[in-house]
Amino acid sequence: MGAPPIAGKTGSPIGPEERAEYARVVEEALRSGALGEALRGAPPAAAERLRGWAHEAVEDLWAQAAAEHREWRRARAVGSSPEAASDAAPRAAGPGGDLVAALAVLVPLTAGAAALIFLVLGYLLMFAGVQQAAGASLVVTGWAGAGVAAVTASLGLGRLAVTARRRSGPARRSAAEEAARAAWRAALLERAVLPYLHHRLLDAAGPGAPAGSEGAGLRGAGPRFSSPGFDSPGFGGPDAAR
C-alpha cells in the first residue's frame, strides 16, 4: 500500500505523483550550482541532513509554489478529461483512418484470392497443353497478385503493430500540462527548496545536527530565510504553524 496523500498548508492534497516530483526537485537542488559544490566539500552526512529537513518542511515549502501547483493540477485535469479523449478519438479514427484500415484488410484478401485463381487457371491451361500463351499470362498475373498481397499484408501488419504500441505506451502530457508542470517545478525549486537548503547548509555541515531531528531541521528558519513567505519570525515549521 502506498503512503496516504499529505494535506499541505494550502489545503490541496499532496498525492503520490506530487510527492515524487517534490523528491526530484529536492535532489535537483542538492546537485545544483553553488549548493552542490558546497556539499562536495562538506561532511558526507550534510546532504542527507538537508534532504531529511527538506522533506520535513514539505508543507511550508510547498506553499511557496501553491499558485503554480494549482495551475498544473488544472492543466492535468483538462488533459485527462473525457472531453479531451473524445476530441482526440475522431482525429485518430476519422474517415481517412477508417478508409486506410479497410484497405489494409481488403486489398491483401482480394489480391491473394485473385492470385490464387489466376495461378490455378494458368497452370491448368499449361498442363493441359491448350492455350499455352494464355496460361502463361495468367501465371504471371497470379504471381504479381501474390506479390501485391504480400506487400500490402506486410504494410497492414506494420501499421497494426505501430498502433498497438502507441496505445499500450504511457499517456503523453499535453503541451499546456507540461508547461504548467515546468513552471511549478521552477517556482518550487527557486523560491522554496533552494533558498531553504542554502539557509540550512551551515547547520547541516555542523557536527551536532542530527539528521532525523525535526526540531533541529526547522528551528530558526525564519528571520534569516531569504525567500518570500519564510522571512517572518513566526516561521518555525509545522509545529509552529499548529
Side-chain angles (χ1 to χ4, degrees):
M1 294 178 63
I6 303 171
K9 286 190 171 184
T10 59
S12 60
I14 304 175
E17 184 176 356
E18 288 89 349
R19 193 197 304 264
E21 287 286 353
Y22 180 82
R24 284 191 284 268
V25 169
V26 171
E27 295 304 317
E28 182 180 344
L30 290 172
R31 296 190 301 265
S32 63
L35 181 61
E37 294 179 4
L39 286 175
R40 282 191 286 272
E48 191 60 33
R49 290 170 180 169
L50 287 175
R51 183 180 292 108
W53 292 342
H55 283 284
E56 289 169 359
V58 58
E59 295 182 13
D60 298 284
L61 298 178
W62 195 273
Q64 300 305 302
E68 289 82 1
H69 179 247
R70 285 192 296 270
E71 289 299 321
W72 177 36
R73 288 174 65 91
R74 185 179 299 112
R76 188 170 54 182
V78 170
S80 60
S81 64
E83 290 79 6
S86 63
D87 289 343
R91 290 193 296 269
D98 293 338
L99 178 60
V100 172
L103 289 177
V105 175
L106 292 177
V107 170
L109 291 177
T110 305
L116 180 61
I117 294 172
F118 289 149
L119 287 173
V120 170
L121 291 177
Y123 281 118
L124 285 177
L125 291 176
M126 292 176 65
F127 291 153
V130 294
Q131 297 185 351
Q132 295 281 339
S137 299
L138 288 175
V139 168
V140 171
T141 305
W143 282 116
V148 172
V151 171
T152 53
S154 300
L155 292 176
L157 289 176
R159 183 177 182 274
L160 182 62
V162 170
T163 303
R165 184 176 179 181
R166 287 177 179 174
R167 292 183 178 179
S168 62
R172 296 182 179 178
R173 294 188 178 97
S174 66
E177 180 184 349
E178 190 61 38
R181 172 179 170 272
W184 168 71
R185 292 183 87 260
L188 186 64
L189 177 67
E190 297 168 5
R191 295 208 304 261
V193 177
L194 266 179
Y196 178 78
L197 294 180
H198 274 293
H199 166 66
R200 301 306 301 164
L201 179 59
L202 293 179
D203 295 333
S213 171
E214 181 178 353
L218 300 178
R219 184 170 54 249
R224 295 177 295 162
F225 200 72
S226 60
S227 176
F230 287 93
D231 56 356
S232 62
F235 173 73
D239 292 336
R242 287 192 290 268

